[in-house]
Every structure is written in C-alpha cells, then in structure tokens.
Amino acid sequence: MATRIKICGLRTAQDVAAAVACGADDIGLVFFPKSPRNLDLDAAAELALTVPLGVRKVGLVVNMDDAALDDLLARVPLDMLQLHGSETPERVADIRARSGLPVMKAIGVATADDLAGLDEYMAVCEQILVDAKAPKDADLPGGNGHTFDWSVLGCVNWTVPWMLAGGLRPSNVADAIRQTGAPMVDVSSGVERAPGVKNPDAIRDFCAAVRGI
C-alpha cells in the first residue's frame, strides 16, 4: 500500500492546489494563534472549499476548549481533528464524542519513555501522530523542524493507524519510511521557504520522494 502523505499548515488556495497536484492525501489546517500557520475561521472556511473530494481536511488544534471547538466545527468543514496539545486520553475521548469526527492524537517523542502512555491514547482515537518532542522553550508543540531517534518506534505494537512527523523533508523522508515502516508521513516546515510560507517545489519533491520508494 502506498504511503499516505499529509501536508500541514496550508494557508492559501495555491498551497492547497500544489499539495493536491502532487498527490497529497491529507491537508492540514492549523488553528493555534501562536503558529505562523494559524488560520482565522473565515479564511479556513473559504480554504476548505478549495479542497477536492477525496482529500482529507485535518484541523490541528492545541488544548482547545469546548466553546472554541464548537465554533470551529460550526464554521469550517473538517474531516478529522488533530489534537496537538497536552490533551489527556479522557479529553481525547470527550472531543471525539463531542465533535463526531475521527481524532488523531499527536505524541511528542524524544526517547522511548515518551511512548509509555501510548496504549491509553490508542484506545480512544482513530490515529496517532508521532512527532519530535518540542524543546522546553518552544512556542509551538510541532512544526519546529526537529527529528527524533526513529529506532524507538520499533518496540511499539500499533493497534491504530499511525503517522510519522518531525523534521521530515524531501531529503530524508524516504529514509525515514524505510527505517520505521511508517504507513503515513506528515510535513510542514520541511516544505517551506519561510515559517508559514509553503514552497511548491519542495512539496513536489517531498511527494516524489515518498512515491518513489
């Protein structure tokens, strides 16, 4: 089965068109004010309408409260929520029930110890995203361009689909897939010319590297 590709942090119709033309399966829309990739709800609603059927629209949120979540879901047509904060398994289950959407939980990893609670999350969500753990002083929980030791994933017994993120770029994504067997990959900063500004050539090269395996 071909590796699934998610291009995250898209902000313009041109970004979406570039990702779709290169064969992206998922596009990520960011709803986190501290991020250079953040979208307001009006812009996101318009952008979502440019995404063709068959391409999954994933909304990335960080510790979003119920009121903000309800507003987001009322205004932006999404297919999946990506929880990229410190949400507990109980909160993940609550958001999944409240939204009626499938949920992907992001887990920050630096060492094998960071995988200790993974089973609890896999029990309450449809998908796991394994990302490089953000530095302690980082403003963003992801999209920082850092990798981690992929070998720590070798001991995981995956019971739900999973996606690899964290410092992926055109030059290393094929090696990452070969080393980890990742069935899905996610990229944001690795296909940008500046924070929040996507590079269509890099998107093309990233997708080509994945499809060329």
Side-chain angles (χ1 to χ4, degrees), residues 6 44 74 108 123 128 154 172 206:
K6 176 172 172 279
I128 294 289
N172 70 0
F206 184 89

Side-chain angles (χ1 to χ4, degrees), residues 19-36:
V20 171
C22 295
D25 302 286
D26 302 339
I27 63 102
L29 307 178
V30 175
F31 304 97
F32 183 53
K34 290 184 178 181
S35 172

Side-chain angles (χ1 to χ4, degrees), residues 137-151:
D137 59 348
D139 287 330
L140 306 178
N144 293 298
H146 302 299
T147 59
F148 64 97
D149 180 4
W150 299 323
S151 68

